[in-house]
Amino acid sequence: MTLDTVKNAEQTPEADQPWSELGLKADEYARIREILGRRPTGAELAMYSVMWSEHCSYKSSKVHLKQFGEKKPDSDAMLVGIGENAGVVDVGQGYAVTFKVESHNHPSYIEPYQGAATGIGGIVRDILAMGARPVAVMDPLRFGAADHPDTRRVLPGIVAGIGGYGNCLGLPNIGGEVVFDACYQGNPLVNALCVGVMKHEDIHLAQASGAGNKVILYGARTGGDGIGGVSVLASETFDATGPAKRPAVQVGDPFQEKLLIESTLEIFAEKLVLGIQDLGGAGLSCATSELASAGSGGMRIELDTVPLRDNTLSPEEILMSESQERMCAIVEPGKVARFLEICEKWDVIATVIGEVTEGERLEIFWHGELVVDVPPRSVAHDGPTYNRPYARPSWQDALQADAPTAERLARPSNGEELKAALLAVAGSPNQASKSWITDQYDRYVIGNTVLATPEDSGMIRIDEETNLGVSVATDGNGRFTKLDPYTGAQLALAEAYRNVAAGGAKPLAVSDCLNFGSPEDPDVMWQFAEATRGLADACLVLGTPVTGGNVSLYNQTGETAIHPTPVVAVLGVIDDVTRRTPIGFAEEGQLVYLLGD
Amino acid sequence: MARVVVDVMLKPEILDPQGQAVQRALPRLGFAGIADVRQGKRFELELEGPVDDAALARIREAAETFLANTVIEDFVVRIEEEGK
Amino acid sequence: MARVVVDVMLKPEILDPQGQAVQRALPRLGFAGIADVRQGKRFELELEGPVDDAALARIREAAETFLANTVIEDFVVRIEEEGK
Amino acid sequence: MTTRVGVVTFPGSLDDRDAQRAVRLAGAEPVALWHRDKDLHQVDAVVLPGGFSYGDYLRCGAISRFSPVMDTIIEQAKLGMPVLGICNGFQVLCESHLLPGALTRNDSLHFVCRDQKLRIENTGTAWTRDYSAGQEIVVPLKNGEGRFVADEHVLDQLEAEGRIVARYLDVNPNGSYRDIAGITNAAGNVVGLMPHPEHAVEPLTGPTTEGLGFFTSVLKQLVNA
Ligand SMILES: Nc1ncnc2c1ncn2[C@@H]1O[C@H](COP(=O)(O)OP(=O)(O)O)[C@@H](O)[C@H]1O
């Protein structure tokens, strides 16, 4: 294959391009041609296609997510809001906490162990990139019916993957959820949350400024994993027989990630970086375009300097590769040597792959030939925005009318019936003890876990001298949300809020993972619109801003969407963790109160 | 009894962190000249009956559906040579 | 480049829970007639130079001191046959 | 002079800071040791902490065992310096042949994290003097490859020489032969332990504070020596 350079693109305007296979729509492809004033090169097309995918561009959800900003409650606690890798919250005593929940649903269905493992890896790098030391993880999960044969394939792999990766990183697992419901049979939900702690002055942002500053790629070598994964995996629907395409699956290396964490924290401590970004979905396409567009000036990358695991990769593939455990940093020339030294200490490969330039373009070269020449903002931020049609489903009234209200639900009228009802509840997999899962997770490592399973919220001490701590709970109820998306999202928030308060912490901020079906279905889009509206309204009332989160769409099997499942995480602060309130009765003779009505 | 071996290796394009860790350690231990290391699994199956085509076909199916994860792994089924 | 394979298996007297788990699962999946399963490791080493006696001796030493833990494991070193 | 207890960090060590905290709470001075540095910086004793050094790839502890710091530790351990290996550290000690046997995959094939009851069987080691014979304690246990195995002859010898330091009670969490949770070398200065006493040193974060005894024991041993 000949190299598709910018010059070549200019000379061959009519060349056929696989924009459709890469998930782009005709009008999106036309937009790209308009932005560039020519046809894109293969490498440019790769970048636009991954960055403009639903997963990276939030093109269907953006118009609704805006409300989290518009209805943002006044809060002194927000240090960094939506838009960065993760939001940052002031928790006092000079400390800041960052937390975020993300999904890895589709990859985990295809390859449960690696899908879930790399889900943990991805969210941990997001938190690290903010300048924080990751201190805990949580894992809200949804599976199909407990007795379905495919649950047997999916569940043990997912749990082992979360444990395998999180345990090896040395991050305590302080909570999560396990819910079984047939609606998740062909589309389990694997959401992962990470909490990180830093001092205010350590906050780092993803931006590249200052001409002459170096772009350093460090961590794992780049391989052929997950190429096209972003656009295909996260945006296409599975049919009932399983995944139609089997794109390369990413394999995680938690040991490499542990080294990445330690080296990065040492690099932060010595103040060696100006801007930093993790490589997640969309890999280098995302990191370079986001860093460049958030800064001033342009960027020049020599793509052939990227260390490869597979020497046959083309520039397009290198730009799209989702190889795990990589980060990209902007470093002043005078600090490069020390940066590389720290990486060497931790056996982490680090390479200068380019620099910040005076111009306004992101230019990428392959053995001296220009293969990408784009305005970085057009890749990272100016993706399409859809106002998808939505309408209250025709079946919504019937569904609500059929709901078991107090009047219609037959109450047990005798001992036998009461026993049967009790046994039915007690025997439900959703009520059963989760210890067979949580016993596979390390909750002790780091030695700061104050509350973890089976408590209402997870709580972590962040200062051993003052006993300052934070707590997090996640909740979500797809059945409620299906019945009434507006209220269902609010219920999820209220429950997580209560769980944090019950442990003794003051709720401060919210992160959310919005798991829904196809946005192209007006019914689903209505659920999404209602749930976001409900969540934004409730956050305003409770005074807890949404600091960030993640949207996962196309969660469906064939035409059937999962229950709309917004998972809401609430973060709280407690100034003295020794005053925490565990669940359970501590001593005989204590009084029991019921609060609320 | 007859023995059939199933070797399961990660596909070449899939990252093999274990093999890499071994490869990086070897030179430190004084073993130079090794360009690449991949680590996989070896299953030794002892059959009750003879190793005929039918038995091999069944084992191949077991490897395909169970012993290997063909999303990320390749496998080879072979009859163990005498004297091993 | 030449390939040398090192197979590492738990010694027969050491319990192999992984192999046992596979063996117990096989009949449930419809694969009968398998009397025993042991699971071990397979290392594929790509040598930079030729596979001569000196190279094999070094690999045997690496297997003995590093790739296998001879307290609990046995190993076999062999040159990969052609055409594999 | 305060007693100095070194805690080694290998790439992938996880419980190194926890071990340092336990050393501090016991009244000694924790000293961070780096795997590439042969120098032990005048420490009086060494802890090899838990974690997944080198990702636990190949075998747990197999790659760490060849790090420069281990050369010195092996040398010093043979001269009588107290060494405690916890979990991954225990695996490193077995791989180094400072302790017999090996640690293999749990019989459940799952990683297990639980509050584990143990009986201290030998109070004569450098790390268990502060316990009473037969004392039962609860400390966290968390491992995927914690099943202690050795051949019958070695097991019999360990029993006969009283070198089993701690045994699992109530539940054997990983299928360890003869319920073995920890062992010592013949001299009693090198101890390997699968459970994590360093996670049971504060009432706030541990199930008990019964793990502290390992760290106070070595302090007494060194002060009396
Ligand atoms: N996937 C999981 N990962 C970690 N902890 C979990 C997970 N699922 C449940 N837990 C924890 O187990 C405990 C009990 O969960 P659950 O029965 O769902 O309680 P609740 O109904 O109070 O939310 C909680 O502390 C919860 O955080």
Side-chain angles (χ1 to χ4, degrees):
Chain A
M1 213 179 75
T2 58
L3 187 66
D4 191 16
T5 60
V6 169
K7 199 179 289 164
N8 185 39
E10 280 163 352
Q11 287 162 357
T12 55
E14 298 314 322
D16 235 3
Q17 296 198 278
W19 48 269
S20 168
E21 288 84 337
L22 287 167
L24 287 165
K25 302 279 185 283
D27 57 330
E28 293 171 347
Y29 178 64
R31 255 304 289 293
I32 297 168
R33 293 190 69 125
E34 191 185 317
I35 290 169
L36 297 176
R38 57 172 162 80
R39 78 159 173 88
T41 63
E44 288 167 340
L45 188 65
M47 289 184 83
Y48 279 105
S49 74
V50 285
M51 290 301 290
W52 286 14
S53 69
E54 186 65 59
H55 182 68
C56 292
S57 75
Y58 291 85
K59 56 189 168 190
S60 304
S61 54
K62 255 193 277 199
V63 294
H64 299 281
L65 297 180
K66 268 200 327 239
Q67 297 171 85
F68 295 143
E70 291 160 0
K71 299 183 197 166
K72 184 161 68 78
D74 277 335
S75 161
D76 302 335
M78 284 274 266
L79 297 174
V80 175
I82 294 181
E84 280 294 330
N85 284 318
V88 182
V89 182
D90 179 12
V91 293
Q93 299 180 15
Y95 283 101
V97 167
T98 176
F99 76 122
K100 188 176 174 189
V101 54
E102 272 209 349
S103 65
H104 229 217
N105 304 339
H106 293 161
S108 302
Y109 178 67
I110 295 179
E111 171 29 45
Y113 185 99
Q114 295 296 344
T118 53
I120 296 283
I123 188 66
V124 168
R125 284 192 304 281
D126 265 344
I127 294 304
L128 178 65
M130 294 307 297
R133 173 177 275 282
V135 293
V137 294
M138 298 175 87
D139 59 330
L141 307 175
R142 301 290 184 279
F143 299 105
D147 54 4
H148 191 286
D150 199 47
T151 303
R152 252 208 175 165
R153 171 185 73 93
V154 169
L155 186 149
I158 286 174
V159 169
I162 290 167
Y165 205 99
N167 294 342
C168 186
L169 283 189
L171 295 177
N173 186 307
I174 59 167
E177 299 163 62
V178 182
V179 175
F180 298 94
D181 188 305
C183 78
Y184 305 110
Q185 200 63 63
N187 198 312
L189 302 185
V190 177
N191 291 183
L193 177 145
C194 181
V195 194
V197 177
M198 68 196 121
K199 289 290 196 170
H200 286 191
E201 62 270 23
D202 293 334
I203 296 174
H204 281 76
L205 300 180
Q207 55 180 33
S209 299
N213 289 332
K214 302 296 178 190
V215 181
I216 299 183
L217 176 67
Y218 66 113
R221 290 172 183 276
T222 298
D225 5 15
I227 288 175
V230 167
S231 45
V232 180
L233 270 185
S235 305
E236 298 290 319
T237 314
F238 298 139
D239 58 34
T241 57
K245 299 178 194 165
R246 280 205 162 150
V249 167
Q250 301 108 284
V251 167
D253 180 355
F255 172 57
Q256 174 72 245
E257 179 122 327
K258 169 70 177 167
L259 301 182
L260 206 53
I261 294 174
E262 296 302 331
S263 55
T264 302
L265 291 172
E266 219 170 294
I267 284 160
F268 286 153
E270 294 192 21
K271 311 219 175 314
L272 301 178
V273 289
L274 294 169
I276 187 157
Q277 169 79 291
D278 62 297
L279 275 71
L284 268 174
S285 296
C286 179
T288 54
S289 65
E290 288 195 347
L291 280 165
S293 76
S296 57
M299 186 182 282
R300 176 192 168 102
I301 299 289
E302 313 288 343
L303 200 59
D304 46 291
T305 58
V306 170
L308 299 181
R309 210 170 71 225
D310 169 357
N311 290 322
T312 65
L313 292 182
S314 68
E316 289 84 354
E317 290 171 316
I318 295 169
L319 283 167
M320 291 174 88
S321 164
E322 295 188 349
S323 285
Q324 301 291 298
E325 292 97 20
R326 298 179 297 163
M327 309 268 285
C328 200
I330 307 298
V331 183
E332 284 170 24
K335 294 182 172 172
V336 169
R338 180 61 190 144
F339 187 106
L340 299 181
E341 206 171 272
I342 292 176
C343 289
E344 196 280 331
K345 170 183 169 189
W346 287 100
D347 295 323
V348 170
I349 299 172
T351 315
V352 175
I353 61 164
E355 64 180 34
V356 180
T357 56
E358 300 276 357
E360 290 175 348
R361 311 286 287 188
L362 169 60
E363 296 164 301
I364 300 182
F365 292 82
W366 180 251
H367 296 288
E369 304 236 42
L370 185 64
V371 292
V372 171
D373 180 6
V374 296
R377 238 200 111 71
S378 72
V379 180
H381 295 289
D382 300 341
T385 300
Y386 293 155
N387 271 298
R388 301 255 193 213
Y390 59 89
R392 190 169 200 271
S394 53
W395 42 261
Q396 194 72 29
D397 284 337
L399 184 73
Q400 289 187 350
D402 197 34
T405 58
E407 297 80 57
R408 293 175 45 221
L409 194 64
R411 297 198 165 226
S413 58
N414 56 43
E416 269 312 301
E417 283 176 27
L418 194 59
K419 183 176 158 193
L422 182 70
L423 287 178
V425 171
S428 151
N430 285 325
Q431 296 304 319
S433 162
K434 310 298 188 299
S435 59
W436 57 285
I437 289 176
T438 54
D439 282 357
Q440 298 181 45
Y441 303 151
D442 184 351
R443 59 183 177 276
Y444 284 109
V445 63
I446 308 187
N448 283 324
T449 306
V450 177
L451 298 177
T453 182
E455 300 288 345
D456 289 328
S457 57
M459 187 180 285
I460 291 285
R461 172 176 65 186
I462 62 179
D463 189 310
E464 284 188 48
E465 303 287 310
T466 67
N467 282 324
L468 178 70
V470 294
S471 104
V472 186
T474 75
D475 281 291
N477 187 319
R479 284 166 61 87
F480 273 140
T481 311
K482 180 155 189 190
L483 210 48
D484 181 344
Y486 181 86
T487 315
Q490 298 193 328
L491 279 171
L493 171 64
E495 189 175 350
Y497 191 98
R498 282 197 306 273
N499 280 330
V500 164
K506 177 175 180 275
L508 279 186
V510 167
S511 176
D512 63 335
C513 189
L514 304 172
N515 306 278
F516 287 77
S518 165
E520 293 160 39
D521 175 347
D523 292 356
V524 169
M525 216 45 224
W526 177 80
Q527 294 172 331
F528 187 82
E530 283 295 285
T532 44
R533 189 170 68 87
L535 185 57
D537 287 351
C539 283
L540 183 58
V541 171
L542 291 178
T544 47
V546 176
T547 63
N550 175 245
V551 176
S552 173
L553 300 175
Y554 297 99
N555 290 290
Q556 53 188 69
T557 309
E559 292 296 297
T560 315
I562 59 161
H563 293 338
T565 313
V567 169
V568 180
V570 171
L571 174 97
V573 62
I574 176 167
D575 54 10
D576 180 359
V577 288
T578 63
R579 294 209 321 271
R580 79 219 177 270
T581 324
I583 57 168
F585 302 130
E587 281 164 44
E588 215 176 289
Q590 291 179 327
L591 298 179
V592 179
Y593 293 87
L594 176 66
L595 303 186
D597 50 27
Chain B
M1 260 184 322
R3 172 179 295 177
V4 176
V5 172
V6 181
D7 288 324
V8 177
M9 300 298 291
L10 282 169
K11 293 187 179 177
E13 69 272 19
I14 299 276
L15 175 72
D16 173 14
Q18 308 214 62
Q20 285 198 345
V22 171
Q23 189 190 342
R24 274 200 298 266
L26 283 170
R28 284 204 305 271
L29 306 182
F31 300 106
I34 292 174
D36 192 25
V37 179
R38 309 269 305 163
Q39 178 176 337
K41 296 177 197 152
R42 172 186 166 92
F43 295 91
E44 294 181 354
L45 314 182
E46 309 289 341
L47 301 206
E48 274 157 10
V51 188
D52 50 22
D53 283 355
L56 278 178
R58 274 186 306 122
I59 289 175
R60 224 166 259 127
E61 199 193 326
E64 171 94 34
T65 54
F66 179 57
L67 296 179
N69 173 358
T70 51
V71 176
I72 53 173
E73 293 168 329
D74 292 327
F75 66 90
V76 175
V77 175
R78 52 201 174 72
I79 303 167
E80 180 82 326
E81 308 83 12
E82 290 296 314
K84 270 273 168 71
Chain C
M1 259 185 319
R3 173 179 294 176
V4 175
V5 172
V6 181
D7 288 325
V8 176
M9 301 298 291
L10 280 172
K11 293 191 174 173
E13 67 270 24
I14 302 278
L15 178 74
D16 171 16
Q18 306 200 72
Q20 287 197 341
V22 171
Q23 190 188 342
R24 274 196 304 268
L26 284 171
R28 281 205 307 270
L29 302 176
F31 302 106
I34 292 174
D36 192 25
V37 179
R38 311 264 309 159
Q39 178 176 338
K41 296 175 194 156
R42 172 186 165 92
F43 297 91
E44 294 181 354
L45 313 182
E46 308 288 341
L47 301 206
E48 273 157 11
V51 189
D52 50 21
D53 283 356
L56 278 178
R58 274 186 306 122
I59 289 174
R60 224 166 261 126
E61 197 194 327
E64 172 94 33
T65 53
F66 181 57
L67 296 178
N69 175 355
T70 51
V71 173
I72 51 168
E73 293 167 329
D74 294 326
F75 67 89
V76 176
V77 175
R78 52 201 173 72
I79 302 167
E80 180 82 328
E81 307 84 12
E82 290 295 313
K84 269 274 168 67
Chain D
M1 214 188 74
T2 49
T3 306
R4 290 162 61 83
V5 179
V7 177
V8 178
T9 299
F10 300 103
S13 289
L14 305 178
D15 300 307
D16 41 350
R17 275 163 296 166
D18 304 66
Q20 289 176 19
R21 182 192 295 115
V23 165
R24 199 170 55 240
L25 291 174
E29 182 191 346
V31 178
L33 301 177
W34 181 240
H35 72 115
R36 282 195 198 167
D37 187 357
K38 270 183 177 301
D39 189 348
L40 296 189
H41 302 274
Q42 290 99 45
V43 296
D44 305 294
V46 167
V47 177
L48 304 178
F52 288 67
S53 62
Y54 290 98
D56 274 0
Y57 298 146
L58 183 58
R59 288 181 311 280
C60 305
I63 302 181
S64 306
R65 170 252 176 280
F66 291 100
S67 60
V69 77
M70 281 310 297
D71 291 345
T72 321
I73 289 174
I74 291 170
E75 202 179 284
Q76 292 299 313
K78 287 181 179 158
L79 296 174
M81 188 175 74
V83 178
L84 173 66
I86 303 169
C87 195
N88 196 225
F90 187 5
Q91 293 157 342
V92 173
L93 291 175
C94 289
E95 286 282 342
S96 310
H97 306 302
L98 284 173
L99 292 175
L103 293 144
T104 60
R105 190 86 186 264
N106 293 353
D107 59 354
S108 67
L109 302 181
H110 291 298
F111 184 94
V112 56
C113 174
R114 67 190 309 273
D115 298 341
Q116 178 69 43
K117 195 192 260 189
L118 307 175
R119 185 171 54 232
I120 304 294
E121 302 275 27
N122 175 341
T123 55
T125 79
W127 300 92
T128 51
R129 300 165 49 118
D130 260 0
Y131 292 100
S132 51
Q135 186 177 340
E136 295 182 2
I137 64 170
V138 173
V139 302
L141 169 128
K142 35 171 222 176
N143 62 65
E145 307 199 17
R147 185 173 60 111
F148 182 78
V149 303
D151 65 38
E152 286 297 308
H153 168 72
V154 170
L155 292 168
D156 289 342
Q157 190 184 359
L158 287 173
E159 301 255 19
E161 296 175 1
R163 286 168 54 193
I164 295 170
V165 172
R167 268 189 236 262
Y168 299 119
L169 287 187
D170 298 348
V171 171
N172 179 336
N174 46 33
S176 264
Y177 287 5
R178 305 199 192 176
D179 297 332
I180 290 173
I183 58 171
T184 178
N185 64 348
N189 64 310
V190 178
V191 169
L193 199 63
M194 233 331 119
H196 288 261
E198 82 285 16
H199 289 320
V201 295
E202 288 183 286
L204 186 67
T205 53
T208 67
T209 55
E210 292 165 351
L212 201 56
F214 284 89
F215 304 92
T216 54
S217 292
V218 75
L219 208 63
K220 268 194 202 151
Q221 159 100 7
L222 291 164
V223 169
N224 293 345

